Amino acid sequence: MSVRYTWVQWIPHKRTYDLIMVGAATAYMAAFYGLGRLLHRGESGYSDEVLILRATGSCAMVLLHLILCIGPLCRLEPRFLPVLFNRRHLGVMTFLIALVHGVARRFRD
């Protein structure tokens, strides 16, 4: 912690990390939605709203578990320290995905 507040320094490493994070979360949700559409067809199929709710909810839970594992992993293996440095960005993205899930759930009911 410093005495005065400083804005986030957007170095190329952080931009690359954020792009990889957003890409991985988007790929996860797209794969979840696509596989849900493919595996559950016809009468037993899910609606688009349900698949979006499940994709965003499960993505947020997976990211939350990943965030909580980063700290102990860094103590066990120093190679994970760059991930610890950007853990806050991952937490903000997890919050935004959970917010989309909550808002979509609210409007579905």
Side-chain angles (χ1 to χ4, degrees):
M1 299 295 290
S2 64
V3 176
R4 60 186 174 89
Y5 180 77
T6 57
W7 290 96
V8 173
Q9 305 299 318
W10 287 102
I11 58 175
H13 175 72
K14 283 189 181 186
R15 289 190 177 151
T16 304
Y17 179 84
D18 285 348
L19 287 174
I20 290 171
M21 272 187 341
V22 170
T26 303
Y28 175 87
M29 289 186 285
F32 191 100
Y33 180 84
L35 285 173
R37 269 276 167 241
L38 185 66
L39 296 175
H40 301 285
R41 296 183 186 173
E43 297 268 335
S44 65
Y46 297 117
S47 67
D48 291 336
E49 296 88 12
V50 170
L51 282 174
I52 290 170
L53 280 170
R54 289 183 177 196
T56 55
S58 68
C59 183
M61 288 302 293
V62 167
L63 287 174
L64 179 63
H65 283 81
L66 180 66
I67 290 167
L68 293 175
C69 288
I70 288 173
L73 279 174
C74 289
R75 289 186 178 265
L76 295 173
E77 182 61 46
R79 288 183 293 176
F80 289 103
L81 284 174
V83 181
L84 178 68
F85 181 66
N86 295 315
R87 183 169 54 172
R88 183 177 299 162
H89 291 245
L90 190 57
V92 169
M93 188 178 75
T94 302
F95 167 75
L96 292 175
I97 291 172
L99 182 66
V100 167
H101 173 76
V103 168
R105 170 113 170 116
R106 180 74 176 154
F107 285 121
R108 184 177 183 276
D109 291 340

